Amino acid sequence: MIEFKDVGVRRDGRELFAGASFQLHPGHKVGLTGNNGTGKSTLFALLLTRMGTGDTEVTLDKGEISIPDSWHVAHMAQEVGASTQTAIDYVLSGDEQWYEINAALNDLSSVSDDQIGVLHQQFDEIDGYRTPTKAAQIMAGLGFNTSQHELPVEGFSGGWRMRLNLAKTLMSRADLMLLDEPTNHLDLDAILWLETWINAFSGLVIVISHDQAFLDATVGHILHVEQQKITLYTGNYQQFIRTRHERMAQQQQAFEKQQATKAHLDDFIRRFRAKASKAKQAQSRIKQLERMAELSPMMADNPFSFRFYEPANMSSPLIELSNADIGYTDTALLHNANIQVTPDTRIGLLGMNGAGKSTLIKALVGELGILSGSYRVSDTLKLGYFNQHQMDALDAAATPMQMLRRLAGKTSDTELRSFLGSFDFRGERIDTPSELFSGGERARLTLALIVWQRPNVLVLDEPTNHLDLQMRQALTIALQGFEGAVVLVSHDRELIANVCDELFLVHDGIIEEFDGDISDYGKWLAEKRKQENTPDKSNSKKKSKKDNKKFVSRETNTSLASNQISNKAATAPAKAAQPALSKEEQRKLAAEQRKLTAPVRREIEDTEKALAKITDKLASLETKLADTELYEESRKADLLVLLNEQTALQQQHSDNEEKLLLAMTTLEEMEAAVK
């Protein structure tokens, strides 16, 4: 276990921890929480220093830290440099023990005769033949497809490099895993997969995260840093909130803030519920009241207090897409889209990675023209659009005050400073150039500039990626009080559940209303993932344990069928929208499908035959290697020949198994594409 005894730490002349004492045991899943600047990253650095790794050394000013000497730590860093190393190789390097043994077995010229047998034994003991499969599964869970495995790390964007870094961390054979904001660059389906992975991990996990739903689903303890103290709570994040706020003397202040808002909404409902022209708005306020129920405790010590202004003008509809095909150049990614944004609209967009959510968003805000159909906006439309591009486009040399002044005209400095203060820009930060801001500060500034302009439609594409828990709670409450329309894409389930009245699913090239809530979407994703991972049993044979062994192959298998798949998949959504086929048409389509997939089926059959032959040869070799006389000094040359032959066959087995997996996946995609 890890034990802190009366630990005190100071950095840059400031006391971060004093008298910290707690114990963490193997199997614990711990959420490390606290406001920005309280020392969460320092605590990680302290653990890494004590375990002899990490880039930043942190020393104790007082107390003791006990960590087992045999423990291995894996740490998810926040930056990944450019590298020509392939993505799959980068991920595999996270398993250092496997990587070193595999490298040695792939270059026997640097290995003595006596070491070869030992290396093979070690490789078998760590189940090294399955390691490449584990790496591929982790990459798939985090949203990578097989065609990306051999791409260089430097070819990925910053967000996807962070996913690679997370995958590399998860590959480690660690006893202690330190994850710093692992969900920041993930979409919802990848987050749900990561939750399952963490829950199945047998070691100790400490995770820093601002995603409340993620913490609730994964951790059983909260380590909270506040006012130079570290307190260990038992339970998930929701339980921690309840326990902590039972101890807070100022809890009533939070309730008073929300009670005032509720009173305002109640008054509106009472006055206008029976008025036909205001019935919809009254119903909307009722829903706001329902959504506000559990949010008040988090606001007790929240530095953010902003709200959205009432829109000046509104008409209905504000934005309308009708029978629209949406895509790039001549290729439609979304078909027959029908979405109407009215003043009461509160839509949450759901969909797997790459399904087209961001493409739909760009069409709604007019950044991407439609290929067919109609797109109309109201003359009264005043759009508030948040995405990563807006953050990146901030004037790097300008301060928050300067940027707001450009929008505010003759508004007094006092009013502008008060407004920026509601987003926690105070003191010198108001006059600091934005190029010196963190990602969270840039996100807050972007939101502040949007709020000032009084939009009547908010289109928010992952607004919480860089926001801490308190800012997320403040944004949630502000959106609940917003009197215009909201279209939201977010991996933050709490935000979606508390803000959106209706959910739309983007999947297989179409947009349709999702019949269920955010938890039902999680079940839908799990079912889809299960279907995708189910192999075609008609084309697979039962394999022995020896058949399942896998040795790394660094080569990519490609075929013409993969290109055919892409072409078919591109037209699949259009086919899905067509009327049902007649029996004659179905027979013709089936014949066309058999003809198209025949080369892939032959490849599967040939590869299975090759695997069977290799398996027989490996079994024969293992019988020979079981002969004890072979290990006598006089038989060393014979042993070396057999071991080299075994290594070569295992490599062939791995190559053919990967080839078979790729071919079977291709076949499944081709069959799905023509359905």
Side-chain angles (χ1 to χ4, degrees):
M1 70 176 180
I2 293 176
E3 184 173 16
F4 276 49
K5 294 181 180 178
D6 196 28
V7 169
V9 174
R10 299 180 70 88
R11 295 194 73 177
D12 301 325
R14 184 166 66 97
E15 185 177 58
L16 292 179
F17 316 133
S21 298
F22 56 86
Q23 294 179 346
L24 303 177
H25 297 271
H28 278 182
K29 309 297 187 293
V30 182
L32 179 57
T33 64
N35 292 345
N36 290 338
T38 54
K40 299 188 296 295
S41 296
T42 297
L43 182 58
F44 270 18
L46 184 60
L47 289 170
L48 291 169
T49 299
R50 303 298 291 185
M51 299 184 76
T53 184
D55 299 325
T56 304
E57 186 172 340
V58 180
T59 57
L60 290 181
D61 292 293
K62 184 182 178 184
E64 300 177 10
I65 297 177
S66 174
I67 303 176
D69 293 335
S70 61
W71 274 24
H72 177 65
V73 62
H75 175 228
M76 179 187 169
Q78 289 300 294
E79 292 185 5
V80 183
S83 169
T84 57
Q85 190 176 17
T86 65
I88 186 68
D89 203 46
Y90 179 80
V91 172
L92 283 165
S93 68
D95 187 341
E96 295 177 3
Q97 185 178 7
W98 178 91
Y99 204 73
E100 290 176 3
I101 297 173
N102 183 58
L105 289 174
N106 278 334
D107 184 15
L108 294 176
S109 62
S110 61
V111 180
S112 68
D113 295 346
D114 294 335
Q115 290 176 309
I116 294 176
V118 175
L119 286 172
H120 278 285
Q121 181 180 351
Q122 291 175 340
F123 202 73
D124 199 52
E125 286 174 352
I126 66 173
D127 201 15
Y129 298 101
R130 295 183 189 271
T131 300
T133 301
K134 176 184 175 184
Q137 290 172 341
I138 289 174
M139 291 183 72
L142 294 178
F144 294 92
N145 57 55
T146 54
S147 66
Q148 295 174 298
H149 286 191
E150 298 297 326
L151 297 178
V153 172
E154 64 185 5
F156 291 90
S157 65
W160 283 95
R161 287 188 197 176
M162 290 308 302
R163 292 197 191 204
L164 285 174
N165 193 40
L166 175 57
K168 177 182 177 180
T169 305
L170 300 184
M171 278 298 296
S172 173
R173 299 174 186 270
D175 304 285
L176 169 64
M177 191 163 289
L178 305 178
L179 302 177
D180 192 351
E181 296 292 355
T183 65
N184 260 6
H185 298 280
L186 303 182
D187 44 26
L188 185 51
D189 46 326
I191 290 175
L192 292 169
W193 176 88
L194 181 59
E195 289 176 357
T196 302
W197 191 96
I198 289 177
N199 288 326
F201 181 66
S202 59
L204 169 61
V205 177
I206 306 178
V207 57
I208 298 173
S209 177
H210 296 309
D211 187 328
Q212 180 177 329
F214 175 74
L215 290 174
D216 283 337
T218 55
V219 306
H221 294 81
I222 294 292
L223 201 59
H224 187 64
V225 187
E226 183 179 34
Q227 297 178 349
Q228 293 79 50
K229 298 184 184 298
I230 303 178
T231 308
L232 182 65
Y233 294 82
T234 299
N236 64 14
Y237 192 79
Q238 284 283 7
Q239 292 169 305
F240 153 70
I241 290 174
R242 288 194 292 269
T243 303
R244 173 176 175 249
H245 284 283
E246 286 172 1
R247 304 176 184 181
M248 295 178 66
Q250 67 268 44
Q251 183 184 28
Q252 188 57 38
Q253 296 175 12
F255 285 104
E256 289 174 356
K257 287 183 180 180
Q258 198 165 62
Q259 292 306 311
T261 303
K262 285 185 175 182
H264 173 74
L265 294 173
D266 274 325
D267 182 61
F268 184 96
I269 294 167
R270 178 181 55 78
R271 287 185 293 119
F272 294 113
R273 194 170 193 171
K275 190 174 180 180
S277 63
K278 292 287 186 178
K280 269 192 162 184
Q281 288 89 333
Q283 288 299 319
S284 179
R285 300 308 190 279
I286 292 172
K287 290 181 179 179
Q288 288 182 36
L289 279 173
E290 293 171 350
R291 288 194 298 263
M292 290 177 68
E294 296 298 323
L295 290 173
S296 54
M298 271 301 296
M299 297 303 295
D301 55 353
N302 200 319
F304 309 108
S305 57
F306 70 93
R307 62 181 179 83
F308 287 95
Y309 298 128
E310 181 180 356
N313 296 296
M314 281 196 291
S315 59
S316 185
L318 291 161
I319 303 174
E320 187 173 35
L321 278 173
S322 300
N323 303 318
D325 283 0
I326 307 167
Y328 302 87
T329 61
D330 295 327
T331 303
L333 302 180
L334 302 174
H335 300 264
N336 199 35
N338 290 282
I339 289 186
Q340 190 178 79
V341 178
T342 69
D344 298 314
T345 293
R346 287 177 171 267
I347 293 176
L349 294 179
L350 306 176
M352 300 175 73
N353 177 53
K357 301 186 296 296
S358 292
T359 299
L360 176 59
I361 286 287
K362 289 177 181 177
L364 283 173
V365 302
E367 276 193 0
L368 180 65
I370 62 173
L371 302 178
S372 65
S374 66
Y375 169 69
R376 294 190 295 271
V377 298
S378 167
D379 292 339
T380 65
L381 175 66
K382 193 159 188 180
L383 187 67
Y385 179 33
F386 179 98
N387 68 0
Q388 182 66 44
H389 176 71
Q390 264 66 38
M391 286 176 52
D392 296 339
L394 288 173
D395 185 345
T399 68
M401 191 67 171
Q402 289 170 334
M403 283 186 250
L404 187 60
R405 169 59 66 196
R406 293 168 187 169
L407 300 173
K410 297 180 179 179
T411 308
S412 69
D413 283 358
T414 301
E415 185 175 346
L416 297 186
R417 289 183 180 276
S418 175
F419 175 78
L420 289 170
S422 69
F423 289 84
D424 202 27
F425 288 106
R426 298 181 172 90
E428 64 179 16
R429 300 311 279 175
I430 288 180
D431 299 310
T432 300
S434 68
E435 63 185 351
L436 301 178
F437 284 172
S438 66
E441 287 175 313
R442 289 199 304 273
R444 282 193 276 122
L445 179 54
T446 303
L447 283 168
L449 297 176
I450 289 172
V451 170
W452 183 266
Q453 296 175 74
R454 304 173 72 102
N456 52 26
V457 176
L458 289 171
V459 180
L460 308 176
D461 191 355
E462 296 292 1
T464 64
N465 268 0
H466 300 277
L467 304 181
D468 62 21
L469 277 165
Q470 290 181 310
M471 181 59 186
R472 291 184 187 208
Q473 289 287 344
L475 177 61
T476 300
I477 289 179
L479 286 173
Q480 288 175 336
F482 179 56
E483 297 186 12
V486 177
V487 180
L488 174 66
V489 175
S490 178
H491 63 248
D492 189 322
R493 283 157 287 176
E494 289 293 315
L495 182 65
I496 292 175
N498 288 316
V499 169
C500 299
D501 293 335
E502 51 187 336
L503 302 176
F504 279 76
L505 178 64
V506 183
H507 182 65
D508 283 344
I510 60 174
I511 301 121
E512 58 187 356
E513 191 166 355
F514 183 74
D515 186 16
D517 58 20
I518 195 67
S519 61
D520 293 321
Y521 175 65
K523 297 172 187 175
W524 179 88
L525 274 176
E527 182 60 29
K528 284 294 178 185
R529 196 175 291 120
K530 180 180 177 181
Q531 292 174 6
E532 291 175 357
N533 292 335
T534 301
D536 187 350
K537 296 181 180 179
S538 64
N539 290 313
S540 62
K541 296 181 179 180
K542 292 183 179 179
K543 296 182 176 66
S544 66
K545 291 183 179 179
K546 300 295 182 185
D547 290 329
N548 289 327
K549 285 188 176 180
K550 204 170 182 192
F551 196 69
V552 65
S553 170
R554 301 181 191 271
E555 296 181 1
T556 306
N557 297 301
T558 58
S559 68
L560 177 62
S562 298
N563 295 327
Q564 292 173 321
I565 258 292
S566 300
N567 295 334
K568 279 288 181 182
T571 60
K575 290 179 178 290
Q578 293 175 358
L581 301 176
S582 67
K583 290 184 178 180
E584 179 62 28
E585 289 172 326
Q586 290 175 356
R587 283 195 295 271
K588 289 182 179 179
L589 184 60
E592 179 187 346
Q593 179 182 340
R594 287 194 298 273
K595 183 178 179 181
L596 178 64
T597 59
V600 186
R601 293 182 183 276
R602 283 196 297 272
E603 183 180 4
I604 290 172
E605 185 178 351
D606 293 343
T607 307
E608 287 179 331
K609 289 178 180 178
L611 276 171
K613 290 180 180 178
I614 295 171
T615 300
D616 291 341
K617 290 180 180 179
L618 282 170
S620 176
L621 266 179
E622 289 178 5
T623 300
K624 293 178 182 178
L625 289 168
D627 183 359
T628 56
E629 293 182 359
L630 190 61
Y631 296 88
E632 295 177 0
E633 185 66 26
S634 61
R635 300 286 303 279
K636 181 181 289 187
D638 295 336
L639 174 61
L640 183 58
V641 170
L642 291 176
L643 287 174
N644 286 339
E645 186 179 351
Q646 184 188 45
T647 297
L649 285 171
Q650 286 168 337
Q651 180 69 59
Q652 292 175 29
H653 189 281
S654 174
D655 290 346
N656 278 278
E657 196 173 48
E658 286 190 2
K659 183 178 179 181
L660 178 62
L661 178 61
L662 180 61
M664 292 173 65
T665 302
T666 299
L667 179 62
E668 289 177 3
E669 291 174 346
M670 292 176 75
E671 290 177 338
V674 297
K675 285 181 180 178

